[in-house]
Amino acid sequence: MKNSTLTGWGIFILFIITSCAPKGSDDKASPFSDDVASKVYVAPGQFDEFYAFLSGGFSGQMSVYGLPSGRLLKVIPVFSLDAEKGYGFNEETKPLLQTSYGFIPWDDAHHPELSQTDGVPDGRWIFINGNNTPRVARIDLSTFETVEIIELPNSGGNHSSPFTTENTEYVVAGTRFSVPVPQKDVAVETYKENFKGALSFISCDPVTGHMNVAFQVLLPAFNYDLAHSGKGASHGWTFFTCYNTEEGHTLLEANASQYDKDFIAAINWKKAEEYVKQGKTHDFPTSYYHNVYDDNSHMATSEQIKSVKVLIPDECPGLVYFLPTPKSPHGVDVDPTGEYIVGAGKLSADMSVHSFSKMLKAIEDKAFEKEIAGIPVLNYDAILAGVVKSGGLGPLHTEFDATGNAFTTFFISSEIVKWKVGTWEVLDRAPCYYSVGHLMIPGGDSKKPFGKYMLALNKITKDRYLPTGPELSQSAQLYDISGDKIQLLLDFPTVGEPHYGQGIPASLVKPKSKQFFNLADNAHPHVTKSEDQAKVVRDGNVVRVYMTTIRSHFAPDNIEGIQVGDKVYFHITNLEQDWDVPHGFGVMGATNAELLIMPGQTETLLWEPLFEGVFPFYCTDFCSALHQEMQGYVRVSKKGSTVPLKWWTGSSK
Ligand code: K7E
Ligand code: CUA
């Protein structure tokens, strides 16, 4: 949302930044008091209380921080190549980045979302969307590694994603850009007749987590922006914001801002399941990839899927309703009870809150304003619970605490407003530095918020950090929300642009954290389980090196008989069975990244030597006192040479 907003509101922002810079919300909130420092101080050797997972935006990755310290714990590669970990460079992870467009080394990742059980984050998995080439990834929180990526058919930009239902029955994914469905070569001017917006419901296996596009719902050619699923009473429904209900296809900053109200689309997914069972779906031909990484074979595999089940609302009464919501709504957030659905109209000052029970009543009473493509538009007044008169400008996103309060970000006025759910009364406000997008409260979009802290995820940092040339860091700001007043505690820079985040008590994740992979369980097709099984095998011009690592040598560490034009696969197994002892592997002149092999794991580097000579390889991770000795040589001879294939460690074989 960064670019479009900036062009439209640039002047406004400048005004706001200069006008609200150094004000705190009150004296107590002064970030300079000792009290504040002690609240974020995590003594050396101590652990943080919460994990925070922040999206990397255009970095394509997800980063993990400790709260309250703001310590960066890990950057998890998801959609983008990561040479540090060999992600997308080694043969094992390449299939994760396969799509129907081929190998794609990047995406734009906006929304991390933790898996839930009974509406509460359970610390098993975290999902994140790829916005550009529509995908959803699943990260396993025992390894903090990406283990699955599924592509979304019939979609053009996967933004309202991957918000989960109460028991992670589904993660949802709505298309930001409507596109021709199925894709075809048509004039852009035929937008209204040929374009559609697909909302996807991705089922998630309760044991393995494996994802599957269970069904899609085909809606009018609006832009579907954000989503949240119901909880408690509203469990069984998912709510998607739409803007551009004008169905413009050019100069959207004006053309998609004509109407007074756009919609929140309420999807009754339990009803959808019934229609799927009754065979009301259409099988649409398509092509999309489903890529799964297996922790025993240490390999990812790709499957291409050729059709998808689609529901058409016109044929499925009761499946979809439109909730009129002022003015190009961005975020849609459901309070912990599931009764209130907050729509943040980003071009309005006030926020409309819908009531779920009133919505059901309006459906029963047929309180409809009109129908669009067979979808009833509910009467705005009939479903309205209340309006938050915030005094802020440009509301985007809302999260909740455990005591009935809501917190909403305001992009244009750079602040977070605290208000009471049910009375809609504004209780407090705190400035953000600057241009806040999402916010995150641990469990803040779940049934039982953990509360205590709030993170503001800011787009612009200007004068907050030492300058680093034209590109400045994006930023998170940590607030204490345990008292009546919001108190600013800490700024810390982020990796990429943190659109959304999720937070969870460390106690729900830490005990499950894997320390190493069991070598006995290693089912990699090219594993080497002990040094005496190390070998080099030639098959035509393909050479496979079955290599092991253990402190502090490779086996083999001398190899001869490789020829220019060979494809050399180094299949390296790390024999260590201890925590925090990866070995690395780099070879001179390889047009590839290093390998970083976890204990018990096998990874593969492909090297295609171009020249004759003798080339060193070495361990890239400082693994022991004799790490600098962890090295070897490969001799490369000319094509067709009679130098025999030989390998050894220590004495010549
Ligand atoms: Cu508001 Cu992509 Cu969720 Cu950015 S989005 S802020
Ligand atoms: Cu192994 Cu350094």
Side-chain angles (χ1 to χ4, degrees):
M1 68 142 295
K2 187 175 174 183
N3 288 336
S4 58
T5 320
L6 286 184
T7 48
W9 298 338
I11 292 168
F12 229 144
I13 296 160
L14 275 180
F15 165 74
I16 295 298
I17 288 170
T18 42
S19 66
C20 75
K23 276 185 278 173
S25 62
D26 68 0
D27 280 346
K28 224 174 63 193
S30 161
F32 307 109
S33 77
D34 290 338
D35 176 37
V36 166
S38 68
K39 282 185 173 176
V40 298
Y41 183 68
V42 176
Q46 300 296 303
F47 295 132
D48 279 294
E49 187 181 350
F50 291 94
Y51 283 102
F53 300 90
L54 306 191
S55 68
F58 45 75
S59 89
Q61 318 294 46
M62 185 189 298
S63 44
V64 187
Y65 295 83
L67 295 183
S69 72
R71 291 170 179 172
L72 175 62
L73 304 175
K74 183 172 181 175
V75 177
I76 302 171
V78 184
F79 295 112
S80 296
L81 297 175
D82 181 1
E84 177 190 339
K85 298 176 177 63
Y87 181 84
F89 290 96
N90 62 46
E91 297 305 300
E92 286 75 10
T93 52
K94 279 179 183 170
L96 281 172
L97 301 178
Q98 267 314 319
T99 74
S100 55
Y101 303 86
F103 179 86
I104 297 199
W106 168 85
D107 215 308
D108 179 18
H110 284 218
H111 307 122
E113 175 87 348
L114 287 159
S115 58
Q116 296 187 359
T117 301
D118 196 23
V120 182
D122 56 23
R124 297 202 290 167
W125 311 303
I126 189 161
F127 303 88
I128 190 165
N129 64 322
N131 193 19
N132 182 58
T133 304
R135 287 176 279 179
V136 169
R138 183 172 59 90
I139 288 137
D140 188 318
L141 291 181
S142 68
T143 57
F144 284 66
E145 279 174 12
T146 302
V147 290
E148 188 173 6
I149 296 182
I150 195 164
E151 199 183 349
L152 295 162
N154 297 334
S155 301
N158 172 37
H159 192 259
S160 39
S161 165
F163 301 97
T164 177
T165 56
E166 259 192 21
N167 294 296
T168 323
E169 294 93 340
Y170 298 100
V171 293
V172 304
T175 192
R176 170 165 163 209
F177 311 109
S178 284
V179 289
V181 175
Q183 269 294 4
K184 58 186 168 192
D185 172 13
V186 293
V188 180
E189 276 80 10
T190 65
Y191 185 93
K192 285 188 188 178
E193 97 206 40
N194 277 322
F195 287 46
K196 289 276 179 257
L199 308 183
S200 305
F201 284 74
I202 304 164
S203 64
C204 195
D205 184 281
V207 177
T208 63
H210 286 178
M211 297 186 285
N212 173 40
V213 181
F215 59 89
Q216 295 188 313
V217 182
L218 209 56
L219 291 189
F222 306 156
N223 290 39
Y224 296 87
D225 207 13
L226 279 142
H228 264 105
S229 292
K231 36 181 98 98
S234 54
H235 176 58
W237 292 76
T238 301
F239 306 94
F240 292 84
T241 43
C242 341
Y243 63 103
N244 191 25
T245 54
E246 297 86 348
E247 300 185 271
H249 55 79
T250 180
L251 203 65
L252 257 60
E253 67 176 333
N255 291 331
S257 307
Q258 304 294 309
Y259 296 163
D260 214 40
K261 296 193 181 69
D262 296 276
F263 301 127
I264 289 171
I267 312 282
N268 185 341
W269 58 259
K270 290 228 163 134
K271 190 118 221 161
E273 288 178 335
E274 289 168 23
Y275 284 126
V276 171
K277 261 201 208 120
Q278 291 164 19
K280 286 273 172 120
T281 50
H282 299 260
D283 285 322
F284 275 44
T286 183
S287 165
Y288 65 100
Y289 270 74
H290 180 209
N291 312 316
V292 180
Y293 184 88
D294 178 87
D295 267 344
N296 286 325
S297 68
H298 302 286
M299 301 257 302
T301 49
S302 293
E303 182 195 1
Q304 198 181 5
I305 302 173
K306 294 285 196 177
S307 92
V308 62
K309 291 189 187 330
V310 178
L311 291 168
I312 314 280
D314 204 17
E315 305 166 357
C316 303
L319 175 62
V320 189
Y321 297 93
F322 285 137
L323 284 46
T325 305
K327 207 67 247 200
S328 301
H330 184 58
V332 53
D333 299 284
V334 180
D335 87 305
T337 69
E339 166 63 8
Y340 297 113
I341 302 144
V342 183
K346 62 183 183 280
L347 302 182
S348 71
D350 305 333
M351 285 188 304
S352 300
V353 182
H354 302 303
S355 151
F356 178 73
S357 50
K358 284 187 172 180
M359 181 192 97
L360 291 184
K361 178 88 173 33
I363 292 170
E364 204 186 300
D365 297 347
K366 298 205 168 4
F368 303 153
E369 287 178 0
K370 57 179 173 182
E371 276 197 5
I372 298 173
I375 301 164
V377 178
L378 300 180
N379 181 285
Y380 174 73
D381 294 315
I383 58 171
L384 191 70
V387 173
V388 182
K389 304 246 178 226
S390 63
L393 279 174
L396 291 186
H397 299 285
T398 299
E399 296 253 290
F400 303 90
D401 72 8
T403 55
N405 301 305
F407 298 79
T408 300
T409 55
F410 288 80
F411 180 84
I412 300 176
S413 51
S414 279
E415 60 180 337
I416 292 177
V417 171
K418 176 181 179 181
W419 50 276
K420 191 86 203 153
V421 178
T423 69
W424 327 119
E425 171 198 1
V426 170
L427 302 174
D428 194 21
R429 60 205 315 131
C432 301
Y433 306 93
Y434 307 97
S435 301
V436 59
H438 278 269
L439 75 171
M440 182 279 276
I441 292 169
D445 69 341
S446 77
K447 223 162 143 178
K448 291 213 179 83
F450 305 106
K452 190 161 180 179
Y453 297 112
M454 173 174 78
L455 264 190
L457 303 168
N458 301 324
K459 308 296 187 189
I460 294 173
T461 47
K462 289 269 175 198
D463 51 8
R464 299 297 284 186
Y465 300 110
L466 286 173
T468 50
E471 196 203 356
L472 297 169
S473 167
Q474 276 88 20
S475 173
Q477 287 190 291
L478 183 74
Y479 299 82
D480 181 345
I481 54 164
S482 58
D484 288 343
K485 290 282 175 193
I486 303 169
Q487 187 182 27
L488 177 61
L489 301 178
L490 182 73
D491 281 18
F492 61 92
T494 59
V495 178
E497 181 176 3
H499 284 265
Y500 188 37
Q502 291 270 278
I504 187 168
S507 58
L508 294 179
V509 175
K510 185 171 159 271
K512 304 179 207 167
S513 200
K514 207 179 194 75
Q515 300 195 332
F516 57 86
F517 297 100
N518 208 326
L519 192 59
D521 297 336
N522 184 324
H524 191 288
H526 302 291
V527 65
T528 310
K529 291 205 178 176
S530 63
E531 269 187 30
D532 57 8
Q533 291 166 16
K535 62 186 173 186
V536 182
V537 178
R538 172 182 288 284
D539 178 9
N541 73 333
V542 171
V543 178
R544 295 189 183 277
V545 180
Y546 294 82
M547 186 181 273
T548 62
T549 63
I550 199 155
R551 283 161 287 181
S552 298
H553 60 273
F554 295 99
D557 66 359
N558 283 193
I559 300 168
E560 293 191 348
I562 305 297
Q563 299 179 5
V564 172
D566 284 345
K567 275 170 142 13
V568 183
Y569 291 93
F570 291 96
H571 301 293
I572 306 183
T573 303
N574 182 352
L575 300 178
E576 307 280 357
Q577 291 288 272
D578 198 358
W579 195 20
D580 201 15
V581 198
H583 291 286
F585 180 79
V587 59
M588 184 178 158
T591 54
N592 208 334
E594 66 158 356
L595 298 177
L596 188 65
I597 314 147
M598 296 304 125
Q601 198 177 38
T602 303
E603 287 193 350
T604 302
L605 182 134
L606 171 60
W607 178 50
E608 297 176 86
L610 297 173
F611 312 110
E612 294 162 42
V614 181
F615 300 94
F617 58 84
Y618 73 105
C619 174
T620 51
D621 187 305
F622 210 111
C623 51
S624 68
L626 295 171
H627 155 82
Q628 287 297 85
E629 283 68 21
M630 195 163 172
Q631 63 159 59
Y633 287 105
V634 195
R635 176 180 170 190
V636 177
S637 306
K638 68 171 190 280
K639 198 169 176 62
S641 150
T642 56
V643 174
L645 194 63
K646 281 209 303 183
W647 62 92
W648 65 91
T649 314
S651 54
S652 201
K653 240 191 191 175

